[in-house]
Amino acid sequence: MTSEALIPSKELTAELENVKLELPKLQDVKLVAAVPQLVRSEIFKTEHKQVAVLCMFQPGYPDVPLVTEIKSKTLGYKFLQGLAKVCDTEAKKQLGKPQVLHIVQFVSSFLDGNPLCVCADEISLVKEKLSKEKDEVKLKQKSSQVTLKICQEEYFLNLRITVPDDYPLSQVTPEITDHNFPEFLRTNFQAQATETARQCVQPPLKKKPKDPPFVPKPSLRPVAEYVIDCVQKYPLETCPLCNERALPVDPTNESATKGKHRVEKIYCGHLFHLICLTKYMKKPPFSEGKFCPACGKQIFHDKFKVSAKTLEDRWAHKQAKQRELEEVVDFLD
Ligand SMILES: [Zn+2]
Ligand SMILES: [Zn+2]
C-alpha cells in the first residue's frame, strides 16, 4: 500500500463515514472495520453460507476500482474466486463514485439469489464426471435445484436434485423425472439415490461401538455420482450367463424386456436375463448355494427362495421324467 492511500482523500473520508453509518443497516451484514486501507464486513446468511468481504482501496480511488477479496470457511474456493471477479466488474461500473456499499450489497444479494453456491464445488466435480456431448447440467437458482441429463448410448435419465436451505446439514432430494430404462431399474435407482442421501446426514441405524462420532456430510455429489454410475454402467452390462447385453440395445424395443426376455437385477447388482437365470438356478449342484458368475457373490432372489433340497428333488424328478420320455422314444423306435 502506498502512502497516497494512507492519507485519505476528502472523498474517501466521506465514504468511510457513510459506510460506518449505512453498512450496518444492511440486512445480514456486520461491519468489522472501516479504515483508509480497507473496509471489512461479514455477511451471515446461514451456518454454511457466510463470508467476509474485504474491500481494499487502491491509490487513485475512487477513480480506480476497489479490489475485493472474499473469504469463507464454508463456501468453496473456486466459487469465492469467481465471485471476487464479478465484484471487480461491478466496481468498474462505479468509477468516480463511492463503491463499498455497492459491492457489499451486491455480494449479499448474490448469495440470496444463488442458493446453490453452497454446493458450487460439488457441482463442478459432478460436471467432470459427465463427459458425453448429450449430457447436460442445469442450475436453477430460483428453485435451488440442479438438473442432470445423463446419457449412455440410446439410454437417458433426467435427475432433479433439490438442495435445501440448511444444506449440507439436511440432505438433498433426488428425483428421477424422466428416463427410458425398464421401470424396475428406475425404482431401484430412485430408492438407492434417496438412501445414499439419507446416509450422508443420518447416523447408521446400527451403530458399532468403535465408530467415531457421526458427522453429516454433503450429499449432492454422492447422490449424483451414484446415479451417473448406474446410467453409464447398466446399458453396457452383459448377462454373466450368456454374455450378451442384458438390456436391449434399443430401449424402445419393449418386447425385448418382456416375458422370458425380462431382465432381473440380483442382490450383487448384476443384471441377468430371467430365462438364463432360471435355467442356471434349476441346474445342480445346489448344496452350497448358487453364485453369480460375474462376482462370485451368492445369488439371493425372491423368485428362487427354494431350499437346496427342493431343487435337488425337482432336478431328480425332471431327470426321471426325461428318462421315462427317452424310454418311450426308445420303445417307439
Ligand atoms: Zn443371458
Ligand atoms: Zn454379481
Side-chain angles (χ1 to χ4, degrees), residues 310-324:
T310 316
L311 289 167
E312 208 73 77
D313 289 350
R314 275 189 199 161
W315 175 256
H317 183 73
K318 207 175 151 197
Q319 291 297 96
K321 259 261 160 75
Q322 185 64 30
R323 271 196 305 276
E324 271 171 33

Side-chain angles (χ1 to χ4, degrees), residues 222-265:
V223 166
E225 290 192 346
Y226 165 76
V227 179
I228 292 170
D229 280 344
C230 288
V231 175
Q232 292 180 343
K233 179 173 89 172
Y234 283 114
L236 306 181
E237 194 161 299
T238 54
C239 164
L241 294 166
C242 68
N243 288 321
E244 307 227 347
R245 282 272 180 97
L247 295 177
V249 174
D250 176 6
T252 60
N253 183 2
E254 279 182 19
S255 64
T257 54
K258 284 209 173 108
K260 64 178 188 174
H261 294 291
R262 251 183 69 176
V263 179
E264 293 283 333
K265 184 165 177 271

Side-chain angles (χ1 to χ4, degrees), residues 91-321:
K92 279 179 194 148
K93 292 183 193 163
Q94 295 288 112
L95 284 188
K97 287 185 269 180
Q99 296 166 25
V100 175
L101 276 173
H102 178 78
I103 291 298
V104 175
Q105 223 158 4
F106 174 78
V107 173
S108 177
S109 52
F110 191 91
L111 293 176
D112 287 334
N114 293 272
L116 294 174
C117 65
V118 288
C119 43
D121 282 8
E122 283 188 279
I123 293 168
S124 33
L125 288 166
V126 166
K127 275 184 185 165
E128 281 172 26
K129 283 213 85 176
L130 292 170
S131 48
K132 312 254 173 0
E133 275 173 33
K134 285 190 270 173
D135 291 344
E136 279 171 19
V137 180
K138 280 188 190 152
L139 306 188
K140 293 181 178 161
Q141 298 284 1
K142 253 190 194 156
S143 49
S144 192
Q145 289 173 330
V146 185
T147 60
L148 306 179
K149 180 172 186 174
I150 315 158
C151 304
Q152 178 64 284
E153 298 207 336
E154 299 304 310
Y155 285 84
F156 80 93
L157 183 145
N158 295 350
L159 180 69
R160 180 166 66 207
I161 302 175
T162 307
V163 180
D165 260 354
D166 57 347
Y167 186 82
L169 295 178
S170 293
Q171 73 216 50
V172 295
T173 307
E175 196 187 333
I176 296 171
T177 52
D178 198 10
H179 70 100
N180 62 358
F181 282 82
E183 194 51 32
F184 80 95
L185 277 179
R186 184 203 70 88
T187 313
N188 190 273
F189 297 163
Q190 175 69 58
Q192 282 298 318
T194 306
E195 177 58 13
T196 304
R198 191 196 65 78
Q199 285 176 4
C200 288
V201 302
Q202 283 177 25
L205 297 174
K206 280 182 200 151
K207 203 173 173 294
K208 293 185 197 106
K210 277 183 185 163
D211 280 351
F214 181 81
V215 184
K217 58 176 188 179
S219 49
L220 185 138
R221 188 180 164 206
V223 166
E225 290 192 346
Y226 165 76
V227 179
I228 292 170
D229 280 344
C230 288
V231 175
Q232 292 180 343
K233 179 173 89 172
Y234 283 114
L236 306 181
E237 194 161 299
T238 54
C239 164
L241 294 166
C242 68
N243 288 321
E244 307 227 347
R245 282 272 180 97
L247 295 177
V249 174
D250 176 6
T252 60
N253 183 2
E254 279 182 19
S255 64
T257 54
K258 284 209 173 108
K260 64 178 188 174
H261 294 291
R262 251 183 69 176
V263 179
E264 293 283 333
K265 184 165 177 271
I266 62 167
Y267 183 71
C268 64
H270 283 109
L271 296 182
F272 288 76
H273 297 120
L274 181 60
I275 187 172
C276 299
L277 188 61
T278 308
K279 237 192 255 166
Y280 180 64
M281 296 302 280
K282 287 185 176 168
K283 229 187 198 169
F286 303 112
S287 54
E288 318 220 306
K290 291 296 219 174
F291 298 89
C292 169
C295 65
K297 287 198 181 126
Q298 188 158 8
I299 297 178
F300 296 104
H301 193 293
D302 285 348
K303 284 199 182 66
F304 305 105
K305 263 190 195 156
V306 210
S307 70
K309 171 84 176 68
T310 316
L311 289 167
E312 208 73 77
D313 289 350
R314 275 189 199 161
W315 175 256
H317 183 73
K318 207 175 151 197
Q319 291 297 96
K321 259 261 160 75

